[in-house]
Amino acid sequence: MSEQLNIHFKGSFSDVKTCPASEMPEYAFIGRSNVGKSSLVNMLSGKTHIAKVSNTPGKTQLINLFEVDTKWIIADLPGYGYAKASKVNRSAWSKMVTNYLLQRENLVLLFVLIDSRLPAQKIDVDFMEFCGKKQIPFSIIYTKSDKSSANQLKKQIADIQKVLLQQWNALPEQFVSSSQNKSGRDEILDYIYGINEQFSRK
Ligand code: GTP
Ligand code: MG
């Protein structure tokens, strides 16, 4: 896998209606605020600062689009579950993201990021249930794997899976990542390229 993707920032959009229409397959990254979405976009791109990262939750406020190789698109979405967000902000988030998820025509897959260090969070479980109901295809990425030992990580992920399996008969494609040591990068990009192949053959 090449070190850096040929990636360009397309812009930030507050509404799916203003996102430029495209035929290129689009992959969106979502999850709780601070879970590491923007860091993962940087890690995948091989560039440190293409997406804005912050210690403070609620950094990404808009739909940020990045075009790769003029073939596919990454959408870095604002996070949910930011405790300090006002009600007004929360409902604005919900509207912006829900409209994006339901109306973005070239969206082919959503990556739902889950913090590998925490027990299954209700907000994540509920969000995946929403995706199921709306038939939005998604994969799971367990983030921040560098923060646990290999044994801890295995146990923590198994515990999360156990909770998810109370709701689902089978789990979707899953990845384990660290934006710090780049683990998961090849697997996630290979998966995306595999899907892109199917699109280019259509
Ligand atoms: P919002 O935009 O606020 O929703 O957050 P986000 O999900 O985009 O998170 P972001 O990438 O901004 O990262 C939040 C914090 O977690 C930052 O301090 C990152 O440096 C840290 N972080 C993200 N990914 C990793 C990781 O894989 N390992 C470690 N150790 N820290 C990470
Ligand atoms: Mg972000």
Side-chain angles (χ1 to χ4, degrees):
M1 200 71 65
S2 65
E3 281 295 297
Q4 284 199 357
L5 301 182
N6 179 17
I7 186 166
H8 298 281
F9 177 57
K10 295 272 288 176
S12 301
F13 307 93
S14 61
D15 192 327
V16 65
K17 291 195 183 82
T18 55
C19 290
S22 176
E23 305 264 294
M24 294 178 224
E26 188 158 301
Y27 300 83
F29 294 80
I30 204 162
R32 281 187 318 114
S33 205
N34 221 39
V35 71
K37 300 172 293 293
S38 301
S39 302
L40 183 71
V41 170
N42 287 331
M43 187 273 263
L44 294 176
S45 75
K47 297 188 177 176
T48 351
H49 298 301
I50 195 135
K52 287 194 185 118
V53 167
S54 167
N55 279 323
T56 321
K59 177 69 184 174
T60 309
Q61 300 264 355
L62 299 166
I63 300 163
N64 293 296
L65 299 181
F66 304 86
E67 198 176 282
V68 187
D69 287 336
T70 54
K71 282 205 181 100
W72 57 285
I73 297 173
I74 289 176
D76 179 19
L77 299 176
Y80 50 75
Y82 173 37
K84 285 192 190 147
S86 67
K87 255 194 188 154
V88 175
N89 276 348
R90 245 177 269 174
S91 87
W93 176 91
S94 174
K95 210 167 141 198
M96 171 172 48
V97 174
T98 310
N99 286 343
Y100 168 83
L101 294 174
L102 298 178
Q103 294 172 27
R104 184 67 169 159
E105 283 180 13
N106 58 324
L107 176 67
V108 297
L109 184 68
L110 182 63
F111 287 100
V112 179
L113 275 59
I114 294 187
D115 193 324
S116 64
R117 297 167 304 167
L118 304 177
Q121 304 284 299
K122 184 173 185 303
I123 197 160
D124 292 325
V125 174
D126 289 351
F127 180 74
M128 286 185 256
E129 189 185 348
F130 163 81
C131 293
K133 277 196 183 133
K134 299 291 182 189
Q135 298 189 311
I136 300 163
F138 69 92
S139 291
I140 295 173
I141 302 180
Y142 301 101
T143 63
K144 306 195 185 183
S145 64
D146 57 282
K147 294 211 176 189
S148 309
S149 71
N151 276 340
Q152 280 172 333
L153 184 66
K154 223 169 138 187
K155 180 174 183 315
Q156 286 156 195
I157 291 176
D159 287 346
I160 298 172
Q161 288 170 331
K162 228 181 266 171
V163 174
L164 296 180
L165 284 168
Q166 291 169 7
Q167 201 152 29
W168 299 85
N169 292 327
L171 296 180
E173 197 74 27
Q174 296 163 82
F175 302 91
V176 181
S177 79
S178 162
S179 301
Q180 200 117 95
N181 65 24
K182 299 199 171 196
S183 65
R185 181 174 188 260
D186 289 354
E187 291 81 355
I188 295 166
L189 287 177
D190 276 348
Y191 188 60
I192 290 174
Y193 291 150
I195 299 173
N196 286 345
E197 278 283 297
Q198 295 169 21
F199 269 81
S200 59
R201 269 193 251 117
K202 266 188 196 162

